[in-house]
């Protein structure tokens, strides 16, 4: 029996997540505090927002995270150790 699927997984996976909740794993570390997560079952993607809560990973949020990651890496690359 074949089930139809969408970009968030198949119907069984969606049912599983609706019943038991999502099982998110970190898919990308943007900064130390901001990460992107992906559900193992239904492939739903979320990210942490400015208040630290999970929100849907929209194309706009992906762009913001990409820019933030670039700025974070540049800043980490130019830090000089302090001499005491």
């Amino acid at each position: 029996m074949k089930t139809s699927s969408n970009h968030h997984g198949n119907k069984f996976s969606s049912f599983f997540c609706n019943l038991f909740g999502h099982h998110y794993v970190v898919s990308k570390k943007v900064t130390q505090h901001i990460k992107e997560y992906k559900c193992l079952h239904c492939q739903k993607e979320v990210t942490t927002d400015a208040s630290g809560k999970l929100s849907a990973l929209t194309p706009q949020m992906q762009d913001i995270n990409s820019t933030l990651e670039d700025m974070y890496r540049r800043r980490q690359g130019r830090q000089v150790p302090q001499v005491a």
Side-chain angles (χ1 to χ4, degrees):
M1 180 169 116
K2 186 176 180 181
T3 60
S4 64
S5 62
N6 56 23
H7 70 289
H8 292 297
N10 63 28
K11 288 183 181 182
F12 178 73
S13 296
S14 297
F15 174 74
F16 182 85
C17 290
N18 286 336
L19 189 60
F20 298 110
H22 296 285
H23 183 203
Y24 291 120
V25 292
V26 175
S27 61
K28 182 178 179 183
K29 290 185 179 182
V30 178
T31 67
Q32 238 178 337
H33 302 288
I34 298 177
K35 297 172 181 64
E36 292 179 2
Y37 301 91
K38 190 173 196 175
C39 179
L40 289 176
H41 303 290
C42 68
Q43 308 303 315
K44 180 179 179 180
E45 295 179 316
V46 295
T47 187
T48 49
D49 59 12
S51 62
K53 297 179 181 177
L54 293 179
S55 61
L57 187 61
T58 61
Q60 181 182 9
M61 289 297 289
Q62 284 179 331
D63 190 39
I64 290 169
N65 284 352
S66 175
T67 303
L68 185 60
E69 180 183 21
D70 187 44
M71 290 172 51
Y72 181 76
R73 285 189 181 173
R74 283 189 203 167
R75 187 171 184 180
Q76 291 297 318
R78 71 173 184 210
Q79 285 186 345
V80 180
Q82 295 180 355
V83 179

